[in-house]
Amino acid sequence: MNVLLTRPLLQVKELQSMVLKSGNKPLFFPTLKLNPIDAKAEKSHYDVVIFISANAVEHGLKILKTMSYHQIFAVGSATARKLSENDTKIDDFPRENASSEALLALDSVNCLHHKIILIFRGRGRGGRETLKQGLIKQDNQVEYVEVYERVSHDINSLHYQSLNEFLLSNEGIISITSIDSMKSLLEISSQILDINKLKNYLLVVLSDRIKTYVNSIGFDKVLVTPNASDNGIISVLTNLNTLDKSVKSS
């Protein structure tokens, strides 16, 4: 089965390999690109720093090295792994689910009070404030440093090629990893075809929040991954493949 991969090209190699191993065909359709921001933190010392994504780690480590801090947290396992790969010790992160809610639920985060906290994140088109507001409720002072921005990818021949091949089959899966990615998918696709054609295909998304958004714009065939990771995407593909084989053999 064809799987349309919408992540930035520089971040999709591992997922591409996993999709191939699962017996499906990956098609590249980059919806976003990441541009670094020449940013700096307001202070030289923070009690706590939090990285909201692996991208924030990649673009924020240079700033981290210019400051001192007592504790460091990651929003999920992929972000924590990126920190570890860069020899940065992590105090804690949610093991089961990568989300602001899961991070706030950790005992090690729930006990933070009267701390000065810096959150490393990207600049998107309407980011969530869940983590910041949750920390403020615990009487913490919270600041952001935005170290990259997500912008829509320029349309090119790869988009035409992948979309044309994807539409050759009535079956196919579109992988969506963020609301920004979905918005850009529609922006790019609308220059190629009637986007209503895409509503016939199954979307695999990383969270209930993304599902709520895509449902609101008319996409009804949606499955949410068990966790917000590449493994979560592959587990859905594997289950679909198993179900398809079972139906065909019955």
Side-chain angles (χ1 to χ4, degrees):
M1 189 179 297
N2 290 330
V3 182
L4 206 62
L5 302 181
T6 58
R7 278 197 181 138
L9 289 176
L10 293 177
Q11 301 174 317
V12 79
K13 281 190 175 182
E14 184 175 351
L15 181 56
Q16 174 202 13
S17 176
M18 295 170 74
V19 169
L20 281 170
K21 289 179 180 177
S22 72
N24 297 283
K25 183 176 182 178
L27 297 174
F28 297 132
F29 195 91
T31 56
L32 300 170
K33 57 183 178 180
L34 306 181
N35 295 334
I37 295 175
D38 185 16
K40 62 180 181 179
E42 292 183 8
K43 299 176 177 63
S44 60
H45 174 80
Y46 289 87
D47 298 310
V48 176
V49 295
I50 299 173
F51 283 89
I52 207 69
S53 67
N55 293 324
V57 176
E58 181 175 346
H59 295 284
L61 280 176
K62 184 177 179 180
I63 297 173
L64 184 70
K65 292 175 181 178
T66 68
M67 67 177 64
S68 60
Y69 55 90
H70 290 307
Q71 291 179 286
I72 185 166
F73 295 90
V75 77
S77 57
T79 307
R81 184 167 60 251
K82 188 74 172 178
L83 285 164
S84 295
E85 289 171 355
N86 286 277
D87 300 318
T88 304
K89 183 181 177 182
I90 310 135
D91 287 277
D92 207 355
F93 65 94
R95 267 68 176 178
E96 298 299 322
N97 186 32
S99 70
S100 296
E101 292 83 356
L103 183 61
L104 287 167
L106 293 177
D107 290 341
S108 54
V109 174
N110 194 256
C111 71
L112 297 175
H113 298 281
H114 306 290
K115 304 294 185 183
I116 301 175
I117 300 174
L118 180 66
I119 299 175
F120 284 82
R121 71 172 188 174
R123 181 187 297 161
R125 294 177 289 186
R128 299 177 73 199
E129 296 292 323
T130 304
L131 180 57
K132 182 178 181 178
Q133 294 304 320
L135 293 168
I136 288 175
K137 286 179 181 179
Q138 296 170 197
D139 299 314
N140 297 296
Q141 177 184 327
V142 184
E143 299 173 9
Y144 288 128
V145 58
E146 295 179 332
V147 293
Y148 68 93
E149 61 179 346
R150 294 177 290 264
V151 297
S152 290
H153 202 291
D154 298 327
I155 189 170
N156 59 35
S157 59
L158 178 60
H159 294 107
Y160 283 90
Q161 178 183 332
S162 293
L163 205 53
N164 286 336
E165 184 171 353
F166 183 76
L167 293 173
L168 288 176
S169 171
N170 292 326
E171 294 183 347
I173 295 168
I174 303 172
S175 170
I176 299 294
T177 56
S178 70
I179 290 176
D180 277 353
S181 180
M182 186 65 194
K183 289 178 179 178
S184 290
L185 171 71
L186 298 181
E187 288 177 10
I188 297 170
S189 299
S190 64
Q191 300 177 59
I192 302 173
L193 48 67
D194 177 358
I195 58 174
N196 285 315
K197 291 182 179 179
L198 296 180
K199 295 179 180 179
N200 298 321
Y201 295 88
L202 175 66
L203 268 60
V204 174
V205 304
L206 294 189
S207 70
D208 289 325
R209 179 171 172 263
I210 302 174
K211 180 178 185 296
T212 298
Y213 173 74
V214 298
N215 285 161
S216 74
I217 58 174
F219 287 79
D220 299 322
K221 298 179 180 179
V222 187
L223 287 178
V224 181
T225 60
N227 52 71
S229 68
D230 288 349
N231 286 327
I233 295 171
I234 297 304
S235 69
V236 172
L237 296 182
T238 301
N239 289 337
L240 288 171
N241 287 341
T242 301
L243 179 62
D244 184 53
K245 290 177 182 178
S246 175
V247 170
K248 287 180 179 179
S249 63
S250 62

